[in-house]
Amino acid sequence: MARPAEKASLDNWYVIDALADIPAGTRPNRLLGRDLVVFRDGESVPVVRERLADGSLGEPLPIRQRWGYLWTTLGTPPRELFDIPEADEPDRRHVVCGAVAVRASGLRIIENFLDMAHFPFVHTDILGAEPHTEVHHYTTEIRRDVDEVWATNCEFFQPQAALSAQGGIMTQYMYRVAAPFQTLLYKTCPAAANRWDVICLFVQPLDHDRCRAHPVMFIVDDESTLTSMIHFQQLIFLQDRIILENQRPRLLPLEPRAEIPTRADISSVAYRRWLKEKGVTFGTAERAA
């Protein structure tokens, strides 16, 4: 029997669907090893309920509607959803990029998102290219005042940093892990030198080794079509999925000697340390439980 989700994972907010995809009829869903049903009530308000072992439905779960998504929780989050100030800027494009199912731990998805070293080899001629393979020194910290992991002063040469980019540029990055399964990337905006494009990845852990990834972008781009922006982002993530589904073990090891980090992996080291401090074990290797 699979390990049930522990309190540290339960007490968080999770995306379970894009609001535009929630039908009037009842639809099954899943979160942290538990079956859910989602539907709209008579006033078209989304409702989420857990399907219990006897087939009955539990009480409606708490929900939030934000950034084009329906969020819920199976626990008691100690705080509200984090903020994304850029999402409120009126000239940004809000691009919901669809959900991608991945046969891997949701924590692996987050860690892959933080990894710049794979750019030239997985996203060749888009986010990276040989011989530009070096990950330059960057800064990682656990910001205790907001309980988030940040990586700053990141840079990497990219042949096509964004759909709107013309030619290769040295791209500046900042990474932010706002919750164990939620991460954001701030990167050089080709259309506005003094601003950041924001790419978010909201991960919905279905089971320990299965998840759905929900990418969304808040970007400054007046030229690209909505379809082309979605296709560009999906291309990047589908390239990642091939690697993620072939990683072994599928679950994220938290034991210090399970995987040997390099200098380029300092954000991963901080992320794993933060998870251990918080007591997160859903999606981790058995020994870490």
Side-chain angles (χ1 to χ4, degrees), residues 7-14 62 64 72-81:
K7 180 175 172 56
S9 291
L10 293 171
D11 288 347
N12 279 285
W13 294 100
Y14 295 93
R64 299 291 183 269
T72 194
T73 180
L74 290 165
T76 308
R79 59 181 180 175
E80 274 296 332
L81 278 171

Side-chain angles (χ1 to χ4, degrees), residues 95-110:
V95 186
V96 174
C97 299
V100 181
V102 186
R103 294 188 300 273
S105 163
L107 302 175
R108 284 283 200 195
I109 309 298
I110 299 296

Side-chain angles (χ1 to χ4, degrees), residues 13-198:
W13 294 100
Y14 295 93
V15 163
I16 59 169
D17 253 327
L19 288 169
D21 294 336
I22 299 172
T26 300
R27 186 163 72 176
N29 211 304
R30 191 165 174 84
L31 178 65
L32 295 169
R34 299 189 190 181
D35 288 325
L36 308 177
V37 295
V38 183
F39 58 94
R40 292 185 182 272
D41 65 16
E43 298 181 354
S44 198
V45 176
V47 178
V48 183
R49 299 175 73 175
E50 183 179 357
R51 187 173 294 283
L52 305 178
D54 62 2
S56 64
L57 299 180
E59 292 297 314
L61 296 173
I63 66 163
R64 299 291 183 269
Q65 300 180 64
R66 197 148 184 203
W67 307 310
Y69 290 98
L70 176 63
W71 298 71
T72 194
T73 180
L74 290 165
T76 308
R79 59 181 180 175
E80 274 296 332
L81 278 171
F82 49 89
D83 289 326
I84 309 176
E86 293 82 2
D88 297 324
E89 295 174 358
D91 64 335
R92 285 185 182 268
R93 306 281 295 277
H94 174 197
V95 186
V96 174
C97 299
V100 181
V102 186
R103 294 188 300 273
S105 163
L107 302 175
R108 284 283 200 195
I109 309 298
I110 299 296
E111 194 169 79
N112 176 79
F113 192 83
L114 300 174
D115 175 38
M116 292 181 285
H118 77 284
F119 288 171
F121 311 106
V122 178
H123 308 298
T124 307
D125 296 329
I126 303 174
L127 300 186
E130 296 186 80
H132 307 282
T133 60
E134 181 182 2
V135 177
H136 299 160
H137 176 75
Y138 61 94
T139 303
T140 301
E141 61 181 326
I142 300 174
R143 296 188 178 177
R144 303 293 180 181
D145 58 330
V146 290
D147 192 22
E148 297 181 350
V149 180
W150 281 74
T152 56
N153 302 315
C154 309
E155 63 177 15
F156 207 89
F157 177 81
Q158 299 189 323
Q160 188 176 8
L163 186 62
S164 60
Q166 301 295 323
I169 59 173
M170 184 61 77
T171 306
Q172 306 298 315
Y173 273 25
M174 292 192 299
Y175 291 95
R176 173 191 176 194
V177 184
F181 292 88
Q182 321 298 339
T183 188
L184 300 85
L185 167 64
Y186 303 82
K187 64 184 296 185
T188 299
C189 175
N194 61 337
R195 302 171 73 185
W196 299 93
D197 278 338
V198 183

